[in-house]
């Protein structure tokens, strides 16, 4: 796909994701981890304006100089910004003005892309497109949180199909002890945290061919898994007690039946579907209850060609750390991943809301252990 066509496709998809929303839905920020949809639309636009158009396109006119403060996310080298917790307090710029901002930047970008661009800028453009695709996944997760925490629990899209089980029986995939290559290798795109291909020594292990299902997790709930400290990390047990956690996010026990909020509103749990919206704490506790464990990210990657993945982001037992030889890029782009390599756990795979062609077996997602608003699930391993 040519760069101009790719650019148009990615930009249009962000707005398509938001098309079922009412105007009021664009502004809501229920918790700090969720950003208002209109902020995502503005921030992804700001990326192209700030890092490509302003420094590289002669005669480009900035849409609004104040937008750098509003839509900068965490790039300290680019200047001050609205703190994350206050994004939902911004009634202005309006949704209409942000759409005008997108048109302004898209017009300039499409004009720039209609001619050959300097080869040195192509990696930055590709990064910008992948950055917007990351925010497309966040748009889905944030929209679901916004609507799912409205007492009316309105559906996002009644015609949107929900993910179903892959239909394969659970088996254990045996992996021999040995030296395995880890990390991205090739000529395509990857994020900097995937680089530094290296070898790791793994002992003999086995990994499940399928993720944990809703039915599997219901057994944990019914066995009192949320009330037995023996299966939980200390932090996880404190989290369960403090937050009074009794089930995955969006699960509700109503009239003697478990129901789950999804794209079509509140629906009965489908036992065969992979469990979703669980924290690392819950994933680790479930694994301990079963007498198994979570795989390390290296075990997951080494075996990834042997099982079906991509329904849920899968928690691993690995802390988010740099690979050997990792170096931050110079300037603002160097703030992209490396600054977050502390107090987070790695997830592997992809999910039902990951954009097309945006996943790789080397992709390293990462979140803090208690978070579960993403489409996170569980795959078991054993030694």
């Amino acid at each position: 796909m040519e760069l101009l066509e790719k650019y148009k496709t990615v930009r249009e998809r962000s707005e398509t994701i938001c098309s079922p929303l009412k105007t009021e839905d664009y502004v809501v920020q229920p918790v700090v981890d969720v950003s208002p949809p209109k902020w995502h639309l503005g921030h992804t636009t700001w990326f192209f304006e700030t890092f490509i158009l302003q420094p590289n396109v002669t005669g480009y006119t900035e849409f609004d100089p104040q937008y750098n403060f509003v839509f900068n996310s965490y790039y300290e080298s680019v200047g001050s910004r609205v703190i994350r917790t206050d994004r939902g307090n911004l009634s202005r710029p309006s949704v209409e003005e942000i759409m005008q901002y997108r048109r302004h930047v898209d017009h300039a970008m499409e004009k720039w892309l209609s001619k050959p661009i300097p080869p040195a800028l192509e990696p930055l453009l590709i990064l910008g497109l992948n950055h917007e695709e990351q925010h497309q996944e966040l748009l889905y997760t944030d929209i679901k949180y916004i609507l799912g925490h409205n007492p009316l629990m309105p559906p996002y899209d009644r015609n949107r199909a929900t993910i179903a089980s892959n239909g394969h029986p659970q088996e254990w995939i045996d992996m021999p002890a040995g030296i395995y290559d880890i990390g991205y290798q090739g000529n395509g795109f990857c994020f900097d945290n995937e680089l530094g291909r290296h070898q790791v020594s793994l002992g003999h292990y086995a990994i499940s061919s399928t993720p944990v299902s809703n039915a599997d997790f219901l057994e944990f709930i019914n066995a009192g898994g949320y009330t037995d400290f023996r299966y939980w990390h200390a932090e996880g047990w404190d989290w369960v007690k403090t937050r009074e956690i009794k089930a995955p996010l969006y699960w509700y026990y109503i009239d003697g039946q478990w129901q789950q909020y999804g794209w079509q509103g509140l629906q009965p749990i489908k036992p065969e579907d992979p469990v979703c919206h669980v924290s690392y704490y819950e994933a680790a506790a479930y694994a301990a209850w079963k007498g198994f464990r979570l795989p390390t990210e290296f075990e997951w990657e080494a075996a990834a060609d042997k099982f079906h993945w991509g329904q849920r982001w899968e928690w691993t037992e690995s802390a988010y750390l740099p690979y050997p030889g990792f170096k931050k890029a110079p300037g603002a782009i160097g703030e992209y991943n490396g600054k977050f390599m502390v107090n987070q756990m790695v997830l592997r795979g992809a999910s039902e809301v990951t954009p097309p062609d945006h996943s790789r077996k080397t992709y390293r997602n990462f979140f803090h252990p208690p978070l579960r608003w993403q489409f996170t699930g569980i795959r078991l391993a054993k030694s």
Side-chain angles (χ1 to χ4, degrees):
M1 186 182 295
E2 294 184 0
L3 292 176
L4 176 57
E5 183 182 356
K6 175 70 172 176
Y7 178 85
K8 289 181 177 179
T9 299
V10 170
R11 296 287 285 169
E12 289 171 2
R13 188 170 188 269
S14 297
E15 295 181 25
T16 298
I17 293 169
C18 295
S19 60
L21 301 181
K22 303 298 184 183
T23 303
E24 291 80 2
D25 298 326
Y26 282 84
V27 189
V28 181
Q29 184 183 25
V31 292
V32 62
D33 300 302
V34 168
S35 293
K38 74 170 188 176
W39 185 89
H40 286 291
L41 295 177
H43 168 70
T44 51
T45 304
W46 168 88
F47 186 100
F48 290 109
E49 181 178 63
T50 301
F51 295 122
I52 292 182
L53 293 174
Q54 287 183 305
N56 298 296
V57 177
T58 303
Y60 173 74
T61 302
E62 188 177 10
F63 184 79
D64 187 327
Q66 297 182 89
Y67 280 15
N68 187 70
F69 179 71
V70 174
F71 294 122
N72 180 6
S73 55
Y74 52 73
Y75 297 90
E76 299 286 352
S77 56
V78 181
S80 58
R81 62 201 180 279
V82 173
I83 61 174
R84 186 172 181 175
T85 52
D86 286 352
R87 291 173 186 171
N89 295 335
L90 299 171
S91 60
R92 305 294 176 90
S94 66
V95 175
E96 181 181 7
E97 289 168 329
I98 291 172
M99 292 303 186
Q100 292 172 358
Y101 180 36
R102 288 181 71 87
R103 300 289 87 78
H104 176 86
V105 169
D106 285 347
H107 176 75
M109 285 293 299
E110 290 170 17
K111 182 178 180 181
W112 181 66
L113 288 168
S114 65
K115 301 176 183 178
I117 67 173
L121 291 179
E122 185 170 329
L124 180 60
L125 173 65
I126 297 299
L127 175 62
L129 294 173
N130 279 271
H131 167 259
E132 180 142 356
E133 288 177 322
Q134 286 183 310
H135 279 270
Q136 288 168 356
E137 186 154 6
L138 287 169
L139 271 169
Y140 274 122
T141 56
D142 291 0
I143 288 168
K144 185 173 183 179
Y145 195 96
I146 289 167
L147 298 180
H149 284 78
N150 184 306
L152 301 179
M153 293 190 186
Y156 165 73
D157 183 353
R158 293 190 185 276
N159 296 317
R160 181 182 175 89
T162 56
I163 194 169
S165 168
N166 61 26
H168 300 299
Q170 194 274 340
E171 298 176 347
W172 287 104
I173 299 170
D174 193 68
M175 296 293 292
I179 305 298
Y180 292 87
D181 293 321
I182 298 296
Y184 183 79
Q185 184 178 47
N187 298 318
F189 173 82
C190 74
F191 290 107
D192 59 358
N193 62 1
E194 301 172 59
L195 293 173
R197 189 168 173 84
H198 60 289
Q199 294 184 324
V200 298
S201 176
L202 299 178
H204 173 261
Y205 69 100
I207 190 167
S208 176
S209 62
T210 60
V212 172
S213 69
N214 286 333
D216 296 330
F217 204 84
L218 273 170
E219 292 179 5
F220 173 71
I221 295 174
N222 292 334
Y226 280 98
T227 61
D228 194 330
F229 71 90
R230 293 177 299 167
Y231 306 120
W232 297 82
H233 290 96
E235 278 190 10
W237 185 238
D238 288 343
W239 174 78
V240 165
K241 292 188 296 181
T242 301
R243 303 285 186 91
E244 298 183 342
I245 305 296
K246 299 177 181 178
L249 185 63
Y250 304 121
W251 282 37
Y252 302 92
Y253 194 68
I254 302 174
D255 296 330
Q257 182 185 41
W258 281 104
Q259 299 192 49
Q260 183 177 31
Y261 176 79
W263 303 123
Q264 299 173 2
L266 201 59
Q267 301 285 329
I269 293 286
K270 293 182 178 180
E272 70 277 10
D273 287 355
V275 71
C276 195
H277 299 297
V278 290
S279 67
Y280 166 78
Y281 297 142
E282 291 165 292
Y286 175 84
W289 174 75
K290 289 290 289 186
F292 302 123
R293 60 178 175 83
L294 302 178
T296 68
E297 66 166 317
F298 307 127
E299 290 173 332
W300 191 99
E301 184 176 326
D305 292 333
K306 300 180 182 294
F307 57 79
H308 176 77
W309 53 269
Q311 298 171 298
R312 304 284 185 251
W313 284 105
E314 300 173 13
W315 287 105
T316 75
E317 201 60 76
S318 298
Y320 181 47
L321 298 170
Y323 284 170
F326 174 83
K327 293 182 179 179
K328 295 180 184 178
I333 300 304
E335 298 186 55
Y336 202 79
N337 278 317
K339 67 192 292 181
F340 299 112
M341 292 176 174
V342 62
N343 297 333
Q344 306 204 61
M345 302 301 288
V346 173
L347 301 98
R348 289 303 194 99
S351 80
E352 62 179 276
V353 295
T354 303
D357 303 318
H358 188 67
S359 58
R360 298 168 296 281
K361 70 176 183 179
T362 58
Y363 197 123
R364 306 175 73 202
N365 206 344
F366 51 92
F367 288 109
H368 293 288
L371 296 182
R372 55 184 191 161
W373 97 114
Q374 263 287 355
F375 285 70
T376 50
I378 309 169
R379 187 182 300 271
L380 298 176
K382 63 181 180 179
S383 300

